[in-house]
């Protein structure tokens, strides 16, 4: 533990609030570790708990809610470096100095096919209908190589005469720009030369 650095929240003024204790409370009351003087913030609004190397954000029954990356949290959520936390009308950014020591190399992909929602590193990704259909198909077969023929049949069932390769390649390219930090160096959606494409699912 000697080399471990303390995670922190940075407020809009650039001030860093170290999360050095086991629990750091956030709210309007002066007794909190991080005091936010806003009428939209409850007296005891939220807290951040440290559990080993994990850092957990929890709403404490606040009136206006606690938001993580634009979405209200309804249960405790694990924080990751760069997350945006909104308490009332104040936006904090979470920083984890030890993020490089954790084995989260791949972008984290989440897919809720019935709801039509895709997230990368917990940020919502806007996809066209065809991009989403391609992602659903590849996700259902993640870790397996999917041929262009199989992709064409799954994504363009309305085309009885088949789909051109360039249509599939263009769709894959567009999906990569939405999913990958660097589309030129894909980590999730890989090309398997001569065989097709494969989606790698992060743990």
């Amino acid at each position: 533990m000697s080399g471990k650095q303390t995670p922190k929240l940075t407020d809009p003024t650039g001030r860093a609030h170290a999360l050095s204790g086991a629990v750091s409370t956030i709210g309007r009351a002066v007794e909190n570790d991080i005091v936010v003087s806003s009428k939209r913030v409850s007296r005891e609004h939220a807290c951040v708990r440290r559990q080993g190397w994990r850092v957990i954000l929890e709403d404490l029954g606040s009136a206006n809610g606690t938001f993580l990356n634009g979405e209200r949290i309804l249960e405790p959520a694990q924080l990751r470096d760069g997350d945006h936390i909104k308490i009332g009308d104040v936006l904090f950014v979470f920083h984890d100095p030890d993020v490089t020591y954790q084995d989260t190399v791949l972008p984290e992909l989440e897919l809720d096919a019935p709801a039509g929602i895709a997230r990368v590193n917990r940020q919502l990704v806007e996809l066209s209908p065809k991009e989403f259909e391609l992602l659903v198909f590849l996700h259902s077969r993640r870790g397996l190589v999917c041929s262009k023929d199989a992709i064409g049949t799954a994504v363009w069932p309305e085309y009885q005469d088949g789909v051109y390769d360039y249509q599939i390649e263009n769709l894959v390219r567009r999906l990569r720009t939405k999913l990958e930090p660097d589309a030129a160096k894909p980590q999730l959606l890989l090309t398997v030369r001569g065989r097709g494409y494969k989606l790698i699912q992060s743990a």
Side-chain angles (χ1 to χ4, degrees):
M1 296 294 290
S2 59
K4 186 163 180 64
Q5 301 181 65
T6 303
K8 60 188 178 181
L9 295 181
T10 303
D11 65 25
T13 69
R15 181 185 174 193
H17 304 267
L19 304 170
S20 52
V23 179
S24 299
T25 57
I26 308 169
R28 197 173 73 248
V30 295
E31 296 83 9
N32 288 285
D33 298 293
I34 302 174
V35 179
V36 183
S37 54
S38 167
K39 292 182 179 179
R40 291 184 53 80
V41 176
S42 299
R43 289 183 59 80
E44 294 183 351
H45 196 105
C47 72
V48 178
R49 290 184 283 109
R50 297 182 66 180
Q51 297 180 348
W53 60 264
R54 302 199 316 152
V55 182
I56 309 296
L57 174 68
E58 184 175 357
D59 183 77
L60 298 177
S62 65
N64 292 310
T66 299
F67 291 79
L68 177 60
N69 297 325
E71 292 192 47
R72 186 169 185 166
I73 62 169
L74 303 177
E75 56 188 24
Q78 182 178 335
L79 293 175
R80 291 177 176 81
D81 186 61
D83 277 349
H84 288 192
I85 300 165
K86 195 167 187 181
I87 306 290
D89 46 11
V90 178
L91 185 67
F92 293 91
V93 179
F94 174 70
H95 299 281
D96 186 351
D98 285 333
V99 69
T100 53
Y101 299 119
Q102 298 171 21
D103 56 354
T104 53
V105 178
L106 290 175
E108 183 181 2
L109 173 64
E110 299 175 66
L111 178 65
D112 185 342
I117 293 173
R119 296 184 182 90
V120 174
N121 294 334
R122 296 196 293 180
Q123 301 280 1
L124 281 172
V125 179
E126 297 290 338
L127 299 176
S128 71
K130 289 300 184 189
E131 290 166 354
F132 192 78
E133 286 181 43
L134 173 59
L135 179 58
V136 169
F137 176 73
L138 293 173
H139 189 268
S140 69
R141 294 159 179 78
R142 57 191 180 278
L144 303 175
V145 178
C146 300
S147 68
K148 289 181 179 178
D149 285 343
I151 290 172
T153 301
V155 178
W156 285 274
E158 67 274 20
Y159 288 2
Q160 299 297 322
D161 296 331
V163 181
Y164 292 108
D165 281 1
Y166 78 86
Q167 292 175 280
I168 297 170
E169 291 161 4
N170 286 341
L171 186 62
V172 168
R173 191 176 302 117
R174 293 203 305 272
L175 182 58
R176 272 193 182 129
T177 64
K178 307 286 184 71
L179 300 182
E180 305 280 2
D182 183 354
K185 299 176 182 177
Q187 296 174 277
L188 291 174
L189 180 45
L190 308 181
T191 299
V192 182
R193 294 180 69 86
R195 296 181 59 196
Y197 301 97
K198 177 169 68 172
L199 185 70
I200 302 296
Q201 175 67 344
S202 52

